[in-house]
Amino acid sequence: MSLTLAPLSISASRALDKLQQIKAGQAKLHGMAVPVLTRVEEEHRAIYTQLEISFPKIKSL
């Protein structure tokens, strides 16, 4: 038996797998390194909302 996130209809383990796809990195912008989050999709935001946790902020990287 697996736990599911009701409105999203995905298992808890699949939700964690999806959240692990979000990567922190740096991009060069006008010769300066700028912190960025990669692979952020609407589904990721929905999972964070469903879990009632705040989405990662660039400032906290």
Side-chain angles (χ1 to χ4, degrees), residues 29-41:
L29 182 63
H30 302 291
M32 296 177 59
V34 178
V36 295
L37 292 176
T38 59
R39 294 193 49 97
V40 177
E41 300 170 0

Side-chain angles (χ1 to χ4, degrees), residues 4-61:
T4 61
L5 298 177
L8 301 176
S9 299
I10 63 173
S11 69
S13 63
R14 181 72 181 132
L16 291 175
D17 289 341
K18 289 230 173 245
L19 293 181
Q20 287 178 337
Q21 294 174 353
I22 300 172
K23 303 292 181 194
Q26 292 187 346
K28 291 248 181 186
L29 182 63
H30 302 291
M32 296 177 59
V34 178
V36 295
L37 292 176
T38 59
R39 294 193 49 97
V40 177
E41 300 170 0
E42 192 57 40
E43 186 175 28
H44 295 119
R45 293 182 190 277
I47 293 169
Y48 273 95
T49 300
Q50 178 64 29
L51 295 174
E52 298 179 358
I53 54 177
S54 62
F55 196 76
K57 305 278 190 279
I58 297 291
K59 289 191 273 184
S60 65
L61 296 178

